[in-house]
Amino acid sequence: MNTTKLVIVVPCYNEEEVLHETTRQLSSVLHGMEQSGQIKEGCLMYVDDGSRDATWSLIEQLSENNPRVMGLKLAHNVGHQQALWAGLEWAATSRFDAIVSIDADLQDDVQAIIEMTGRFNEGIDIVYGVRKERKTDTFFKKHTAQAFYKLMQTMGGDIVYNHADFRLMSKRTLQALVSHPERNLFLRGMVRGLGYPSAFVYYDRHERFAGESKYPLSKMLNFAIDGITSFSVKPLRLITTFGIIFMLIAIGIIGYALYAHLTGHTIQGWTSLLISLWFIGGAILTAIGVIGEYIGKIYKEVKRRPRYFIEKEISR
């Protein structure tokens, strides 16, 4: 008899428009797996990331009517990765053998959880949900996402292409993950670095069921910067490389200037000089910005402030 206990962790921020449907679909999947003997018990853990709408009130109502539903209410908005981490830390000390993380917007195929659990029952510790295509994405989002994955690979980051935070993890891998002390979280890279047996489940991504995306362009850019700087020092090495290139160019220009002076030719080209100054000035400021990004991360780490505070909890 299968004794697997599964919990689905769902971070939420202003998701009142989708919670009823999300609960219905996820509960249906869990009920089906219980009936088929694939799992013994299945529950939902909603993590309210300081929502400003009725998200938490809905979670409380759902928990009263549905024994599967549990919830964590964070005291303030800490961001998607930190909210997901809160749910993962809770799950790491719970009675559950495996966890699935999924967003509340129903863009990820909930039916893929059945195949994920099947792979877990075969002995796989981490099962990644991977999108087959990006048909539902806009032209801009599709190509910027592809550029991000390629840039991460170029920078040495080990992440799964077209995988977000839809995955299944065994309890031992989850406990290994939450032992990481860093505050700058990029879970796609952190999970990949654990090294436990893993597999992939491919699915078609759907349109958002309702509401608006919680990842505008500014957040996408910040997320990309966090991903690159959390798992690679290549940007710092590129600064050194460009510095050497600029020095070689400067030596060449100095040599040309001395030759022109000794042969009696007037050095012309104030425009090229001005352009060079602007270019070098911009390169220096960019280098300072990259270094500052890493220093900022160190600043956050050494303060060791709590990642989040839990205001309310509903658990069973």
Side-chain angles (χ1 to χ4, degrees):
M1 180 179 177
N2 197 319
T3 60
T4 299
K5 296 179 180 179
L6 175 71
V7 61
I8 302 176
V9 175
V10 188
C12 306
Y13 179 66
N14 294 342
E15 298 288 5
E16 62 179 1
E17 297 180 68
V18 301
L19 275 184
H20 281 291
E21 182 63 18
T22 301
T23 302
R24 186 190 69 80
Q25 291 194 25
L26 291 176
S27 295
S28 176
V29 168
L30 291 172
H31 178 73
M33 288 194 291
E34 288 173 348
Q35 292 296 306
S36 66
Q38 196 170 6
I39 62 173
K40 179 180 180 181
E41 178 187 352
C43 290
L44 303 175
M45 170 54 79
Y46 288 116
V47 183
D48 179 19
D49 185 20
S51 297
R52 293 173 293 178
D53 62 3
T55 294
W56 179 251
S57 297
L58 281 175
I59 293 172
E60 289 181 317
Q61 292 174 18
L62 290 166
S63 68
E64 292 175 359
N65 301 321
N66 188 336
R68 297 185 190 278
V69 177
M70 299 177 289
L72 293 177
K73 177 176 172 54
L74 304 187
H76 63 291
N77 178 252
V78 293
H80 178 272
Q81 295 288 280
Q82 301 285 1
L84 178 53
W85 184 271
L88 297 180
E89 281 197 318
W90 173 88
T93 58
S94 68
R95 67 183 185 277
F96 296 97
D97 306 301
I99 70 101
V100 169
S101 58
I102 188 172
D103 289 340
D105 55 19
L106 295 176
Q107 287 189 279
D108 297 318
D109 186 4
V110 299
Q111 295 299 318
I113 296 173
I114 299 172
E115 187 177 351
M116 288 179 171
T117 307
R119 300 307 305 273
F120 169 76
N121 288 333
E122 294 171 2
I124 302 298
D125 283 285
I126 305 173
V127 186
Y128 299 96
V130 182
R131 306 168 193 172
K132 292 179 181 178
E133 297 178 283
R134 286 183 169 269
K135 291 181 179 179
T136 59
D137 288 349
T138 63
F139 177 87
F140 176 77
K141 186 172 183 179
K142 177 180 179 180
H143 286 83
T144 53
Q146 290 175 345
F148 166 70
Y149 285 112
K150 290 178 181 177
L151 182 59
M152 281 293 297
Q153 291 172 352
T154 301
M155 291 294 177
D158 184 15
I159 61 174
V160 178
Y161 185 74
N162 271 347
H163 164 70
D165 287 302
F166 182 31
R167 67 180 74 88
L168 179 147
M169 299 179 66
S170 66
K171 190 161 188 175
R172 68 168 180 168
T173 59
L174 185 58
Q175 290 173 338
L177 176 66
V178 299
S179 69
H180 287 64
E182 63 250 45
R183 265 55 181 166
N184 297 286
L185 300 178
F186 186 67
L187 294 174
R188 301 180 197 185
M190 295 170 67
V191 173
R192 187 65 172 163
L194 294 175
Y196 288 91
S198 61
F200 306 97
V201 169
Y202 296 90
Y203 67 95
D204 292 315
R205 189 166 169 83
H206 308 305
E207 293 279 359
R208 183 180 176 86
F209 180 79
E212 298 178 353
S213 172
K214 305 305 184 295
Y215 260 85
L217 179 59
S218 58
K219 285 191 176 182
M220 289 172 62
L221 289 174
N222 288 333
F223 186 68
I225 292 171
D226 283 341
I228 293 169
T229 54
S230 293
F231 283 89
S232 176
V233 295
K234 280 194 176 181
L236 295 174
R237 292 174 182 170
L238 285 174
I239 291 173
T240 304
T241 302
F242 282 124
I244 293 171
I245 292 172
F246 290 152
M247 287 180 62
L248 294 175
I249 293 172
I251 291 171
I253 294 174
I254 291 170
Y256 170 75
L258 290 174
Y259 170 78
H261 176 73
L262 293 174
T263 55
H265 294 90
T266 302
I267 301 176
Q268 298 179 351
W270 68 270
T271 302
S272 60
L273 178 62
L274 187 64
I275 291 173
S276 298
L277 287 174
W278 275 100
F279 178 74
I280 294 172
I284 291 172
L285 288 175
T286 302
I288 292 173
V290 173
I291 295 170
E293 184 68 28
Y294 282 92
I295 293 174
K297 286 185 174 293
I298 296 171
Y299 174 67
K300 289 181 180 179
E301 293 292 343
V302 298
K303 286 191 296 184
R304 309 301 295 166
R305 289 181 177 175
R307 297 185 179 92
Y308 57 86
F309 294 103
I310 296 175
E311 181 180 343
K312 296 180 181 179
E313 178 178 347
I314 304 169
S315 60
R316 295 178 174 85

